[in-house]
């Protein structure tokens, strides 16, 4: 299934030339986080009655399980509905609108819920002039809105993000003049992160970057500074939303007519989907991803459910599972062994266009991470892209972590459409 979009085509470029250009634009991206603002103020075309969620666009009736519950929770949090029944009626009648995060230059973790008042990181790609966004991490409590949960505790934590944490971080970024994310991520890889399922080093490095501004804010008696810094200090996953926004701003610059490189990967409650850099905003959908992982104590395999997720934008630009050999400590969190993680990472070189010039893997002699998934190579080799993810439970909340692989069908459909649009290429 795909969503059509028109895209001009330059007949001078061969597929290999288009891929080289798309890769160069991705590899040359320069993402800077410059601000934190409410979604209504910065996301293009945002409307107050709009709730964004992860994955390819769908009708309200197609959303099920935790992703449907997260949408309802978002509507209640934003005050768009009086109660659950009113929220359901609002979505069914169109009084409350649903949008896909990617259509608004944004990405969302798991269900990826955005509402008008929610703060988002603003990341500028200074090499190409485009902007990417990601919303805030809710905290380490397993019951979170992006995991399909909404109750009084979730509501209070979201309000705390809106009223305390986001204003402080935004003010620090503005005083700092922004923070360059690419060198920070490169250093975090050397310190044991892959900036998808492990962000401990990157979170510490980010805190250090904003510290001078934070100290000035303490002197200026800005409210909430101590509370915010303590929150950042105890939440290793805080940086994931920054790596996602950096990846989105980087990948959106890849659009080159005639390229077969993947520019986005995401999933919803219905299945997995990809975009190709040469086919613009067209999504190609397949079944849910193949998974293996480690569950938290007290949970079983039959509880695992899919409720969306766009954090694989990190793998799209050569991070996450494509830098898994940087983060061997993940075996304790998501299962597996060092040997398996290393072999998975090496596999990804077979399906990518090149090696990243900035993101490097010490264990591989500082070889660049495999970057720029080529749909042609996925079909030729049979090697499916690997991603590090959190696992959601059918009753809401995170119940484990693991590794998924994209389904082959997405790539087959994408290349079939590519051949139709560009015959003989």
């Amino acid at each position: 299934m795909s969503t059509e979009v028109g895209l001009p085509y330059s007949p001078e470029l061969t597929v290999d030339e288009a891929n080289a250009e798309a890769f160069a634009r991705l590899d040359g991206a320069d993402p800077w986080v410059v601000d934190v603002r409410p979604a209504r103020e910065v996301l293009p075309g945002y409307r107050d009655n709009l709730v964004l969620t992860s994955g390819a666009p769908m009708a309200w009736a197609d959303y099920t399980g935790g992703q449907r519950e997260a949408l309802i929770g978002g509507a209640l949090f934003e005050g768009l509905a009086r109660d659950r029944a009113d929220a359901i009626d609002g979505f069914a009648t169109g009084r409350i609108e649903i949008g896909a995060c990617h259509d608004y230059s944004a990405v969302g973790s798991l269900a990826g819920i955005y509402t008008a008042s929610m703060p988002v990181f603003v990341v500028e790609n200074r090499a190409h002039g485009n902007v990417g966004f990601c919303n805030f991490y809710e905290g380490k409590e397993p019951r979170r809105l992006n995991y399909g949960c909404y109750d009084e505790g979730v509501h209070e934590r979201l309000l705390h993000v809106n009223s305390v944490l986001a204003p402080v971080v935004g003010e620090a970024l503005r005083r700092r003049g922004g923070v360059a994310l690419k060198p920070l991520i490169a250093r975090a890889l050397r310190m044991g992160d892959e900036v998808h399922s492990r962000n401990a080093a990157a979170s510490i490095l980010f805190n250090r970057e904003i510290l001078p501004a934070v100290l000035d804010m303490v002197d200026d008696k800005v409210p909430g500074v101590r509370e915010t810094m303590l929150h950042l200090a105890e939440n290793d996953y805080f940086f994931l939303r920054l790596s996602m926004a950096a990846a989105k701003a980087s990948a959106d610059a890849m659009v080159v007519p005639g390229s077969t490189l993947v520019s986005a990967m995401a999933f919803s409650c219905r299945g997995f989907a990809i975009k190709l850099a040469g086919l613009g905003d067209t999504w190609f959908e397949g079944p849910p991803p193949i998974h293996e992982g480690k569950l938290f104590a007290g949970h079983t395999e039959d509880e695992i459910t899919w409720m969306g997720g766009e954090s694989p934008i990190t793998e799209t630009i050569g991070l996450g599972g494509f830098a898994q050999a940087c983060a061997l400590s993940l075996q304790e969190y998501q299962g597996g062994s060092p040997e398996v993680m290393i072999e998975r990472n090496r596999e990804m070189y077979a399906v990518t266009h090149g090696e990243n010039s900035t993101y490097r893997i010490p264990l591989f002699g500082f070889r660049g991470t495999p970057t720029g998934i080529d749909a042609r190579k996925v079909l030729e080799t049979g090697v499916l892209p690997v991603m590090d993810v959190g696992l959601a439970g059918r009753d809401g909340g995170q119940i484990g972590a693991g590794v998924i692989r994209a389904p082959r069908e997405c790539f087959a459909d994408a290349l079939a459409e590519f051949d139709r649009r560009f015959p003989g290429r």
Side-chain angles (χ1 to χ4, degrees):
M1 177 181 177
S2 65
T3 306
E4 292 291 335
V5 66
L7 192 70
Y9 175 56
S10 175
E12 298 83 36
L13 292 180
T14 66
V15 174
D16 288 342
E17 289 169 339
N19 284 348
E21 174 63 20
F23 177 84
R25 293 179 66 81
L26 173 59
D27 193 48
D30 185 19
W32 284 65
V33 58
V34 297
D35 208 349
V36 175
R37 294 288 183 188
R40 62 159 61 92
E41 294 182 10
V42 289
L43 267 63
Y46 207 93
R47 300 171 296 283
D48 280 350
N49 69 331
L50 177 64
V51 181
L52 300 186
T53 191
S54 294
M58 299 195 301
W60 163 245
D62 293 329
Y63 289 101
T64 59
Q67 190 163 20
R68 181 182 174 95
E69 293 303 312
L71 284 163
I72 293 169
L76 293 173
F77 173 74
E78 195 62 32
L80 299 176
R82 298 183 303 277
D83 51 31
R84 177 185 171 80
D86 190 40
I88 292 171
D89 178 73
F91 284 121
T93 61
R95 173 168 49 87
I96 306 173
E97 297 182 62
I98 301 173
C101 295
H102 272 280
D103 288 346
Y104 292 82
S105 302
V107 278
S109 175
L110 268 293
I113 300 300
Y114 286 66
T115 65
S117 68
M118 288 182 179
V120 300
F121 287 108
V122 180
V123 174
E124 296 176 351
N125 181 350
R126 293 187 173 177
H128 303 298
N130 61 296
V131 182
F133 307 95
C134 191
N135 53 4
F136 254 67
Y137 179 54
E138 297 172 50
K140 57 187 178 182
E141 165 64 44
R143 290 184 61 80
R144 305 193 290 272
L145 181 62
N146 70 318
Y147 273 88
C149 300
Y150 186 73
D151 54 27
E152 189 58 34
V154 173
H155 179 84
E156 290 303 315
R157 286 190 291 276
L158 290 171
L159 281 181
H160 188 65
V161 169
N162 281 18
S163 61
V164 179
L165 306 182
V168 170
V169 176
E171 176 65 16
L173 286 170
R174 291 187 292 273
R175 291 187 181 211
R176 180 72 171 74
V179 172
L181 294 175
K182 198 167 188 177
L184 191 159
I185 290 170
R187 186 171 186 186
L189 296 182
R190 300 194 296 271
M191 296 170 67
D193 284 356
E194 38 73 273
V195 295
H196 186 167
S197 281
R198 191 180 192 279
N199 289 272
S203 295
I204 292 169
L205 291 172
F206 176 75
N207 294 349
R208 191 180 73 169
E209 286 289 330
I210 64 172
L211 183 59
V214 167
L215 293 176
D216 288 342
M217 291 162 65
V218 171
D219 291 341
D220 294 342
K221 296 182 170 38
V222 174
V225 174
R226 184 177 186 275
E227 192 175 354
T228 298
M229 293 310 292
L230 287 174
H231 174 88
L232 267 58
E234 68 178 16
N235 283 282
D236 289 347
Y237 266 88
F238 181 82
F239 190 82
L240 172 58
R241 306 309 178 86
L242 285 160
S243 68
M244 289 172 61
K248 175 61 173 169
S250 301
D252 276 1
M254 291 175 66
V255 175
V256 176
S259 171
T260 57
L261 300 192
V262 174
S263 59
M265 298 191 290
F267 52 98
S268 66
C269 55
R270 185 168 64 182
F272 197 83
I274 66 169
K275 290 182 181 182
L276 295 190
L279 296 177
D281 285 332
T282 307
W283 284 104
F284 299 93
E285 300 181 53
I290 304 156
H291 75 276
E292 57 183 271
K294 182 178 179 180
L295 299 176
F296 300 155
H299 295 285
T300 56
E301 188 81 10
D302 64 326
E303 293 180 62
I304 296 173
T305 189
W306 305 107
M307 57 178 67
E310 294 173 337
S311 53
I313 194 68
T314 55
E315 279 81 7
T316 305
I317 70 161
L319 297 169
F322 285 60
Q324 200 171 96
C326 290
L328 297 183
S329 62
L330 275 176
Q331 63 185 293
E332 182 180 20
Y333 177 58
Q334 65 186 29
S337 68
E339 294 78 14
V340 169
M341 293 172 72
I342 290 166
E343 180 54 33
R344 277 199 204 107
N345 204 151
R346 289 194 191 279
E347 266 192 311
M348 296 302 101
Y349 288 104
V351 297
T352 47
H353 179 86
E355 298 181 16
N356 203 291
S357 64
T358 303
Y359 305 141
R360 298 181 179 274
I361 302 175
L363 189 63
F364 295 168
F366 288 93
R367 187 178 182 183
T369 65
T371 301
I373 302 163
D374 188 340
R376 298 176 304 172
K377 292 183 178 181
V378 172
L379 293 189
E380 289 166 4
T381 64
V383 175
L384 299 175
V386 67
M387 291 149 272
D388 297 330
V389 297
L391 298 174
R394 61 170 174 253
D395 296 323
Q398 183 177 3
I399 64 168
V403 171
I404 62 173
R405 287 187 185 263
R408 184 183 184 279
E409 290 89 336
C410 300
F411 301 93
D413 287 351
L415 287 182
E417 175 63 11
F418 185 92
D419 289 342
R420 187 187 72 78
R421 292 200 204 176
F422 307 131
R425 306 303 295 185

